[in-house]
Every structure is written in C-alpha cells, then in structure tokens.
Amino acid sequence: MPDPRIPFSRLAFHLETIYLFTRSDYKTIFFPVIIFAVAIAPSVEVKQLIHAAIWVWIHLLQFNLSNQAHSAHEDVLNKPWRPLPSGRITVDETSRFRWLLLIVCLCLSGWHGAGVLSASAVFSLAEILHEDLRFNSDPVLRNLCNVGGYLAFELGATVILSSKTSVDRTSLVALLSSGLLILTTIHAQDFADVNGDSLSGRRTFPIIAPEGSRLYMLAALPIWSIALSMLWGLGPLCGTLFFLAGLFVGSRYYQFRDERHDQSSYLIYNVSCDVIWIVPHIIH
C-alpha cells in the first residue's frame, strides 16, 4: 500500500523551494511595498489588503525565478542555500516556471482592472529588459529597470488597496518621490553583493567607485530626508528626526564596510524608507 506521507513530503519540499526563492526579499521588498501602499492608500480594507499581498508576492516570486535562473553561478558564492545552487531545482525547470508564472501574473492583474494590469505589464517588461536583454550589466540601465520594477510593485498594490483603476494626486506624488528616491539610492542593495557581482562581471556603483559610492550614501540620504520632510510639510521636530535618521543610515554605509554590516545597513535603509511614508500619513 502506498505511503500517504510521500505526497505530503513532496508538497512540503516544493513549498519550501518556492519559499527559498523569495526568502531574501520579504524584509526588503514584500513588507516595504505593502507598508508603502497602506500608508498612501485613501482607505484600507482587510479583503483588499489580502488581495494586494497575494499580488505582490506572486510578482515577487516571478521576479526571483527570472533573476535566480540567470544568477545561479554567483549565488553559489553569495547565497548557496537558494534552490538552484543547492540542487533543489534545475535552471530549465526554473525558466519554464518563470514564463508560466508571468502569464498567471498578467491574468491575475487583469482581474483587478486596467491599472493593475498596466503595473504588471511594466513589471514584466522591466524584468525582461533587466535579465534577458542584459540591462543589468550597465549601472544606469540596471537602475532604471529597478525603478520600473519597484514602482510597478507600489502602483499595483496601491491601486488594489484603493479599489480604483488609478491613484489620486497625493498617491501619485508619493509614487514619483519613491521612484526618484530609489533611482538615486538603489545601489544601497549592491554593497553586500560586491563579491558575487564581481564574479559575474557586473559593474555596480560600489565596484566602480568603492569609496565614492559610500561617500555618496553619506550625503544623499540626509539630503533626501530634508527634501521629503519639506515635501510633506513636516515640522522642525520631525524634520530633524528625519535628517538624523538619514545621517545614521548613511554613516553606517560609510563606516562599516564588511558584507555582514552592509546587509544590516540595507535592512535599516528599507526600514527608514518605510518610516518616510508612514510618519507623514500619521501626522496628516
């Protein structure tokens, strides 16, 4: 008689594999995007929040399937626990799953309306340009693709939470501000991956300018803190706290230069970005 535990063990194995594809991005993409959307959406209902979370997660999985299928060789060094370097799945299987999931994402987005479908289409285009057409080999094109992907995440989640086909003026200003912030500081994620990026021949800002990129973070984050506190009309107390938070994160990037600290600094960078959108929402 067949052992009934075998199908469940296989299911558990596949579910763990899917989780491992997205494991690195819950703190840096999934939760920050959801927090951003909740902060700027006019109102939030539990049902729509669940729909937004599912939409963000399935697109995050789509991105990771594409990204990791193209970077398995560098993950052997950077993240050997991921499904490909650990031998849980092959590159061909990952690629087929990725293209199937792209269709699923577009269909799911179409069910939510034209605005969400547009966000999904932009996300998929940015992903194809970044990975398949090798835009990730150029620092500028790579950053533009990253901005497109992040904005698509935020736009799709915000529209779902808003239960509308578009966003209002306040949400649009927040999205544009977020896009500019990401465009000018996105290399915050690259400091911890210098070894793997060097192995793959990728030219990132920390590789091109090891000292200059850290000096840039030291200056850019406090400047952004001032600019956003002025944009949202925060008082001197909140403005000062924003500035000190930006200075703290920038100082960490400049002072601590090993991989472990760079990973921590990137996590703190994402938390500070969340605070940037939450605090004005609470105050106003």
Side-chain angles (χ1 to χ4, degrees), residues 184-207:
T184 53
T185 62
I186 188 61
H187 62 277
Q189 67 182 351
D190 295 328
F191 289 98
D193 293 332
V194 164
N195 291 333
D197 289 337
S198 298
L199 183 66
S200 65
R202 189 174 295 133
R203 296 171 65 245
T204 63
F205 194 13
I207 292 175

Side-chain angles (χ1 to χ4, degrees), residues 12-251:
F13 177 85
H14 293 315
L15 290 176
E16 184 180 5
T17 300
I18 290 174
Y19 164 72
L20 290 173
F21 271 115
T22 58
R23 172 183 154 183
S24 297
D25 294 322
Y26 286 99
K27 292 180 288 188
T28 57
I29 296 179
F30 180 81
F31 288 115
V33 167
I34 294 298
I35 290 171
F36 173 89
V38 168
I40 70 171
S43 62
V44 177
E45 297 180 2
V46 174
K47 178 182 177 181
Q48 298 307 113
L49 179 59
I50 293 172
H51 286 175
I54 292 172
W55 187 89
V56 171
W57 180 83
I58 198 170
H59 281 78
L60 182 62
L61 177 59
Q62 176 195 331
F63 163 74
N64 274 292
L65 290 170
S66 173
N67 178 259
Q68 293 176 38
H70 287 85
S71 63
H73 60 288
E74 61 188 79
D75 282 339
V76 172
L77 178 64
N78 282 345
K79 300 178 179 69
W81 47 263
R82 280 181 164 175
L84 284 162
S86 63
R88 300 178 70 94
I89 191 171
T90 68
V91 172
D92 287 341
E93 290 170 338
T94 303
S95 296
R96 289 197 296 269
F97 188 18
R98 170 261 181 115
W99 290 112
L100 173 63
L101 200 60
L102 187 150
I103 297 172
V104 172
C105 287
L106 290 172
C107 292
L108 174 64
S109 301
W111 180 67
H112 285 292
V116 181
L117 178 60
S118 298
S120 182
V122 169
F123 181 87
S124 298
L125 176 61
E127 173 193 304
I128 291 170
L129 292 174
H130 186 272
E131 301 294 345
D132 301 286
L133 298 184
R134 300 294 297 167
F135 276 33
N136 59 5
S137 61
D138 181 89
V140 176
L141 295 178
R142 180 172 183 261
N143 282 0
L144 289 174
C145 288
N146 284 329
V147 171
Y150 269 98
L151 284 179
F153 266 131
E154 293 173 345
L155 176 61
T158 302
V159 173
I160 292 174
L161 283 176
S162 303
S163 300
K164 298 178 181 177
T165 57
S166 61
V167 294
D168 59 20
R169 183 181 180 278
T170 301
S171 299
L172 181 60
V173 171
L175 283 164
L176 292 175
S177 301
S178 176
L180 287 173
L181 174 62
I182 293 167
L183 178 63
T184 53
T185 62
I186 188 61
H187 62 277
Q189 67 182 351
D190 295 328
F191 289 98
D193 293 332
V194 164
N195 291 333
D197 289 337
S198 298
L199 183 66
S200 65
R202 189 174 295 133
R203 296 171 65 245
T204 63
F205 194 13
I207 292 175
I208 296 171
E211 183 71 16
S213 58
R214 293 186 183 274
L215 280 171
Y216 177 86
M217 293 298 288
L218 179 61
L221 294 179
I223 290 173
W224 262 112
S225 299
I226 295 172
L228 289 172
S229 64
M230 294 174 63
L231 173 67
W232 298 118
L234 304 181
L237 177 59
C238 283
T240 300
L241 292 175
F242 263 41
F243 172 78
L244 292 176
L247 184 62
F248 171 72
V249 180
S251 297

